[in-house]
């Protein structure tokens, strides 16, 4: 079986999952957090090495305050609690996105986790928080233009490699497989540059219902496509 090295996941459908049960959307996010805790060890067990999770987009700040506050609380609790399980298992943890929009204690925790785990190399979990690919690309363009203006780089030194190295994802390989749960078939501003050659998989199941069987199905589809198209 050909296991993808890097799997990126758009954890969609928490709201719909809750609505179906007559619960508030925030209950869906809580259930989604529980799913995440179960899925990560299973992806590791199946041999995936890097997992990037779209947990909060740059657009998500526009959601109702109560929902944003609940998500921030979930992130805080996760970073201060369950994430330590990952740390114990030699997992590297890093973050992409504009972390400075979060409260200072969360920013400090993110910085600490990155520093503490940077030499862990068995598994790598990347949380995209306040992330938007267009923002990320815009920032990279600004940096590159800034260097060009002061003569540090010449026009013909602006290559695809330089752009990849300037993005916030410079420390991870491009995703081999992108999964978006809940049936929508869009990238929604996630890893636009990095997804150029990724395989996509769109299971109908809402994120809180995503489980080990669903992971197995996704990995099977990935293997099948790679075999069929003779990719390496
Ligand atoms: C999209 O579903 C999901 C989110 C905006 C939040 C994802 C967050 C979690 C899974 C919580 C746990 C995360 C961590 C890192 C502890 P949606 O609300 O847009 O669903 P809908 O499309 O059905 O409304």
């Amino acid at each position: 079986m050909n296991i993808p090295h890097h799997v990126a996941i758009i954890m969609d459908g928490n709201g719909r999952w809750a609505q179906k049960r007559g619960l508030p959307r925030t209950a869906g996010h809580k259930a989604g957090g529980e799913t995440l805790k179960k899925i990560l060890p299973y992806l590791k067990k199946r041999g995936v090495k890097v997992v990037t999770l779209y947990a909060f987009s740059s657009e998500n700040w526009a959601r109702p305050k109560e929902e944003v506050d609940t998500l921030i609380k979930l992130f805080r609790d996760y970073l201060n609690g369950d994430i330590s399980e990952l740390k114990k298992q030699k997992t590297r943890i890093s973050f992409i996105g504009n972390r400075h929009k979060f409260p200072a204690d969360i920013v400090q925790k993110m910085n600490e986790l990155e520093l503490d785990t940077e030499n862990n190399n068995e598994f790598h979990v990347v949380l995209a928080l306040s992330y938007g690919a267009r923002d990320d690309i815009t920032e990279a363009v600004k940096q590159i233009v800034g260097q060009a203006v002061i003569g540090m780089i010449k026009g013909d030194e602006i290559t695809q490699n330089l752009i990849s190295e300037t993005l916030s994802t410079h420390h991870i390989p491009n995703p081999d497989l992108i999964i978006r749960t809940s049936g929508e078939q869009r990238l929604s501003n996630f890893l636009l540059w990095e997804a150029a050659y990724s395989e996509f998989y769109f299971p109908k199941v809402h994120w809180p219902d995503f489980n080990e069987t669903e992971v197995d199905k996704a990995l099977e589809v990935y293997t099948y496509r790679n075999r069929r198209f003779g990719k390496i």
Side-chain angles (χ1 to χ4, degrees):
M1 199 161 178
N2 186 353
I3 298 291
H5 183 85
H6 179 187
V7 175
I9 307 180
I10 303 176
M11 305 181 286
D12 197 14
N14 293 346
R16 275 165 283 173
W17 180 92
Q19 248 162 3
K20 249 176 54 182
R21 288 163 177 75
L23 297 169
R25 294 176 56 78
T26 47
H29 295 314
K30 285 180 196 145
E34 295 307 312
T35 299
L36 173 67
K37 290 174 208 164
K38 286 184 245 155
I39 289 300
L40 288 175
Y42 189 62
L43 286 164
K44 181 172 184 249
K45 184 173 161 200
R46 290 298 318 266
V48 173
K49 295 293 178 196
V50 184
V51 179
T52 300
L53 299 148
Y54 205 8
F56 195 84
S57 74
S58 46
E59 289 77 28
N60 284 155
W61 291 108
R63 291 197 175 192
K65 185 174 179 316
E66 192 210 339
E67 187 174 343
V68 171
D69 287 348
T70 300
L71 283 165
I72 290 179
K73 185 176 174 334
L74 276 176
F75 301 149
R76 179 181 283 117
D77 290 350
Y78 184 60
L79 299 184
N80 286 308
D82 289 290
I83 214 163
S84 61
E85 264 318 297
L86 294 177
K87 268 174 75 178
K88 276 187 224 150
Q89 288 150 23
K90 297 204 174 69
T91 298
R92 181 175 176 190
I93 298 150
S94 62
F95 301 89
I96 53 173
N98 185 359
R99 71 185 68 183
H100 299 290
K101 284 193 147 187
F102 287 101
D105 66 302
I106 294 190
V107 178
Q108 194 186 332
K109 192 73 204 173
M110 289 178 179
N111 294 342
E112 261 172 44
L113 282 165
E114 279 185 341
L115 215 63
D116 279 3
T117 63
E118 84 187 332
N119 296 320
N120 292 353
N121 52 17
E122 288 205 356
F123 190 52
H124 188 172
V125 173
V126 184
L127 287 173
L129 286 170
S130 191
Y131 172 85
R134 287 185 173 182
D135 277 351
D136 206 32
I137 294 168
T138 306
E139 274 312 305
V141 170
K142 276 190 203 160
Q143 266 194 52
I144 291 170
V145 169
Q147 289 174 358
V149 165
I150 58 170
M152 265 175 70
I153 49 170
K154 297 193 201 83
D156 60 6
E157 286 170 336
I158 301 174
T159 58
Q160 291 190 17
N161 259 350
L162 179 68
I163 294 171
S164 295
E165 280 163 19
T166 313
L167 292 170
S168 68
T169 49
H170 60 87
H171 63 312
I172 46 174
N174 290 326
D176 302 293
L177 173 66
I178 298 184
I179 300 172
R180 181 178 186 148
T181 56
S182 216
E184 310 291 341
Q185 305 195 359
R186 293 190 295 278
L187 266 181
S188 298
N189 206 13
F190 186 47
L191 303 178
L192 300 182
W193 173 273
E194 298 82 351
Y197 297 101
S198 307
E199 290 290 339
F200 292 91
Y201 180 65
F202 300 109
K204 289 236 166 22
V205 60
H206 299 311
W207 173 251
D209 288 332
F210 198 73
N211 56 23
E212 296 187 357
T213 312
E214 294 293 333
V215 171
D216 290 342
K217 278 195 230 164
L219 296 181
E220 223 167 272
V221 167
Y222 177 81
T223 297
Y224 170 73
R225 288 193 200 155
N226 274 265
R227 208 182 293 133
R228 195 163 55 129
F229 297 117
K231 278 183 161 180
I232 49 163

